[in-house]
């Protein structure tokens, strides 16, 4: 059954009619998703009724905050097939990856070891490893893509079979090309060579079911805000047996068992990695977002994204001088398409689209090595969400054509 | 950016002084790292005057038009006059509203020019913070 887009749109306050009459066409969900009312309500309700120190305080408000926070942990664990103690709440996917780099990799990897990255990675899955590489003399090995953006599996096999390779950090879905590396092949390949794995699922988690046991990855990171949840909360899944031996990331309150003038004894996971007062209201709202999303049948969500993207690709392909990046099919790309337009810089294009209330992302999308590989400095990205319609795609493409004409006159 | 501002698109399509000088006194390049826009400014300096200016680069309409307009305004000015140019002067030259998101596009030309002069004078370059901060005070 097709998704009832009209009913979904009514749940998103950003689409409500505005006093100034401007309507928003939001085609930037890959940057951050808009929030449904139930998530906004969950956030404010938690702050109204359950503000108290999580796991610190004997009073009823602390009790309520702790219950919300730990229930949210269970909800997230169910969502990705993990155990609650394997779920660490962070600020976002970026912090989750930094945690793995600073705690796991910094304590386990040695000079001369190799970390494998792909050219599809977002800066959040590049820079923490470059920092570590500079500090510890660890080498980075890059896996190339073909011209359509598919990973070079021959290079992957070769890199993973190198005995110096200790860690593979790979995206679940490119934020520029929308392609999804074949994790079902890559992750077992890594495991067979004794290589630990981290999946950056920031983009993938919205579109594709993620089960950490089925994937058999060691770490998996994502943000709440791309998943219709609030800002300021992210998730790191870590395999229980690895988390047990990992040193703390940030130091402070909540992450310790005891402290004296000379020493501290850290808490068990996941608390060991959650220093300071945790974001209970945000965790509660993230759990609400997950419940909201998963209540919509997966096949309907997938069909909706596929229909919109197919239509967008077909319409964009007809724009003269517009070059699609990636394979250019909705079967291989998920939720987004990026492109360049002859004679119009992406920043001019998205500035002018923005003046019409049409919101797209432009720039290097925090993926400069990928843009270098593609031989361009910047691109424009159109990404779809559950609230988007075919008409909105048409409005956007029509506006792109008008802007291009104005530049060519 | 205002598309009805036809002069911006004119300068973008047909930039002025976008030539490569054979014997410049100084050549200086700057880049807007957040978007990749890049400019190279060349100056022929004679007796503290800008005898000729040439530039090359690529980027959005705002950065390229600003450089074109700026280069026109520099014909036969003194180095001291060029150094005194403010962010406000460049925004006035553009004559379109420049929001916070496009400020660095608008000021890339000024940033490159003033650092070219500072290179000629063996002074350390201005940081982006200094160029943009200067604009925020004059807004």
């Amino acid at each position: 059954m097709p998704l009832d887009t009209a009913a979904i749109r009514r749940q998103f306050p950003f689409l409500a009619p505005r006093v100034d009459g401007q309507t928003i066409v939001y085609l930037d969900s890959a940057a951050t998703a808009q929030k449904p009312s139930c998530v906004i309500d969950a956030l404010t309700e938690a702050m109204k009724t359950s503000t108290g120190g999580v796991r610190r305080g004997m009073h009823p408000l602390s009790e309520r905050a702790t219950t919300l926070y730990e229930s949210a942990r269970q909800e997230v664990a169910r969502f990705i097939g993990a155990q609650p103690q394997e779920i660490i709440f962070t600020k976002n996917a970026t912090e989750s990856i930094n945690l793995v780099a600073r705690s796991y990799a910094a304590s386990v990897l040695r000079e001369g070891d190799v970390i494998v990255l792909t050219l599809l990675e977002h800066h959040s899955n590049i820079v923490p490893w470059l920092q570590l590489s500079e500090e510890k003399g660890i080498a980075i090995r890059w896996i190339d893509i073909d011209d359509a953006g598919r990973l070079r599996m021959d290079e992957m096999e070769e890199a993973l079979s190198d005995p110096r390779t200790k860690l593979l950090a790979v995206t679940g879905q490119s934020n520029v090309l929308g392609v999804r590396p074949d994790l079902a092949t890559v992750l077992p390949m890594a495991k067979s060579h004794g290589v630990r794995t981290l999946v950056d699922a920031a983009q993938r988690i919205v579109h594709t079911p993620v089960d950490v046991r089925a994937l058999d990855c060691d770490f998996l990171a994502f943000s709440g805000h791309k998943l219709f949840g609030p800002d300021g909360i992210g998730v790191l899944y870590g395999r229980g047996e690895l988390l047990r031996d990992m040193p703390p990331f940030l130091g402070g309150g909540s992450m310790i068992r005891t402290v004296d003038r000379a020493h501290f004894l850290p808490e068990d996971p996941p608390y060991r990695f959650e220093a300071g007062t945790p974001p209970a209201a945000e965790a509660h709202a993230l759990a609400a977002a997950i419940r909201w999303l998963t209540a919509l049948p997966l096949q309907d969500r997938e069909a909706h994204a596929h229909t919109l993207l197919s239509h967008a690709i077909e319409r964009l392909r007809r724009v003269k001088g517009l070059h699609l990046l990636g394979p250019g099919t909705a079967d291989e790309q998920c939720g987004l398409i990026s492109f360049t337009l002859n004679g119009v810089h992406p920043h001019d294009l998205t500035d002018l689209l923005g003046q019409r209330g049409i919101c797209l992302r432009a720039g290097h999308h925090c993926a400069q090595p990928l843009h270098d590989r593609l031989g361009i400095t910047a691109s424009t990205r159109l990404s779809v969400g559950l609230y988007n319609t075919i008409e909105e795609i048409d409005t956007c493409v029509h506006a792109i054509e008008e802007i291009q004409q104005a530049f060519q006159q | 950016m205002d598309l009805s501002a036809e002069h911006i698109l004119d300068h973008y399509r047909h930039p002025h002084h976008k030539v490569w000088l054979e014997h410049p006194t100084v050549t200086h390049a700057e880049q807007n790292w957040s978007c990749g826009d890049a400019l190279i400014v060349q100056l022929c300096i004679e007796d503290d005057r800008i005898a000729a200016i040439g530039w090359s680069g690529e980027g959005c309409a705002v950065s390229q038009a600003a450089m074109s307009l700026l280069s026109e305004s520099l014909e036969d000015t003194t180095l001291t006059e060029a150094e005194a140019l403010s962010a406000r002067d460049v925004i006035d030259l553009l004559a379109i509203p420049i929001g916070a998101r496009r400020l660095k596009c608008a000021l890339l030309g000024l940033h490159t020019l003033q650092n070219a002069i500072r290179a000629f004078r063996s002074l350390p370059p201005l940081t982006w913070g200094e160029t943009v901060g200067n604009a925020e005070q004059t807004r």
Side-chain angles (χ1 to χ4, degrees), chain A residues 343-345 347-352 355-356 363-364 368 377-378 402-403 405-409, chain B residues 1-3 6 9-10 12-13 31 33-37 58-63 101-102 105:
Chain A
V344 190
H345 190 281
H347 281 177
D348 294 328
L349 179 62
T350 53
D351 185 345
L352 294 165
Q355 286 174 20
R356 301 166 181 226
H364 50 57
Q368 279 182 308
T377 52
E402 282 186 356
I403 290 164
Q405 275 163 18
F407 266 73
Q408 282 169 348
Q409 270 163 17
Chain B
M1 191 188 147
D2 183 358
L3 248 192
E6 196 53 43
L9 286 180
D10 266 351
Y12 178 57
R13 294 187 202 111
Q31 194 168 357
W33 293 106
S34 62
C35 61
D37 286 6
E58 53 185 310
C60 64
V62 175
S63 72
R101 286 168 302 130
R102 301 306 297 265
C105 310

Side-chain angles (χ1 to χ4, degrees), chain B residues 43-122:
Chain B
L43 301 174
C44 285
I45 298 168
E46 289 171 12
D47 303 330
D48 256 16
R49 297 190 81 81
I50 297 176
I53 176 167
W55 62 277
S56 61
E58 53 185 310
C60 64
V62 175
S63 72
Q64 305 299 298
M67 187 67 240
S68 177
L69 284 158
L70 188 61
S71 63
E72 264 192 320
S73 79
L74 286 168
E75 285 169 34
D76 209 34
T77 56
T78 66
L79 285 189
T80 315
E81 284 167 337
E83 283 172 310
L85 282 172
S86 71
R88 181 77 258 166
D89 294 331
V90 175
I91 292 166
D92 288 345
L93 275 176
L94 280 165
I96 55 168
I98 296 293
R101 286 168 302 130
R102 301 306 297 265
L103 198 54
K104 282 177 91 175
C105 310
L107 298 183
L108 180 60
L110 179 69
H111 189 63
T112 314
L113 167 75
Q114 295 197 325
N115 279 342
I117 297 172
R118 290 177 72 88
F120 170 71
R121 295 203 192 281
S122 303

Side-chain angles (χ1 to χ4, degrees), chain A residues 5 9 14-15 23-27 308 311 358 382 385 387-398:
Chain A
T5 313
R9 286 172 72 85
F14 88 102
L15 287 169
T23 50
I24 290 285
V25 173
Y26 190 74
L27 294 167
L308 288 181
H311 186 74
I358 305 168
L382 182 161
Y387 30 67
N388 289 125
T389 64
I390 293 281
E391 292 72 29
E392 289 179 323
I393 304 281
D394 289 340
T395 302
C396 174
V397 177
H398 183 64

Side-chain angles (χ1 to χ4, degrees), chain A residues 34-93:
Chain A
Q34 298 293 328
K35 321 304 175 195
S37 293
C38 66
V39 170
I40 299 165
D41 292 347
L43 188 66
T44 51
E45 195 58 29
M47 287 194 282
K48 283 180 194 165
T49 65
S50 310
T51 293
V54 171
R55 297 193 303 115
R56 293 289 184 272
M58 296 299 130
H59 59 73
L61 292 181
S62 273
E63 176 74 21
R64 275 194 222 164
T66 306
T67 305
L68 287 190
Y69 189 62
E70 294 305 327
S71 307
R73 199 192 302 279
Q74 288 171 12
E75 186 75 49
V76 171
R78 273 196 296 278
F79 179 53
I80 61 169
Q83 293 296 315
Q85 64 271 21
E86 295 175 316
I87 299 298
I88 299 160
F89 283 124
T90 60
K91 191 169 67 187
N92 45 35

Side-chain angles (χ1 to χ4, degrees), chain A residues 77-132:
Chain A
R78 273 196 296 278
F79 179 53
I80 61 169
Q83 293 296 315
Q85 64 271 21
E86 295 175 316
I87 299 298
I88 299 160
F89 283 124
T90 60
K91 191 169 67 187
N92 45 35
T94 299
E95 188 181 275
S96 298
I97 297 169
N98 275 272
L99 194 163
V100 177
R102 293 281 141 194
S103 170
Y104 172 76
S107 64
V108 169
L109 270 56
R110 299 283 170 260
E111 191 176 341
D113 285 348
V114 173
I115 295 173
V116 174
L117 302 178
T118 83
L119 278 174
L120 295 175
E121 303 312 313
H122 184 283
H123 292 169
S124 61
N125 200 23
I126 297 174
V127 181
W129 308 115
L130 291 178
Q131 288 177 300
L132 196 66

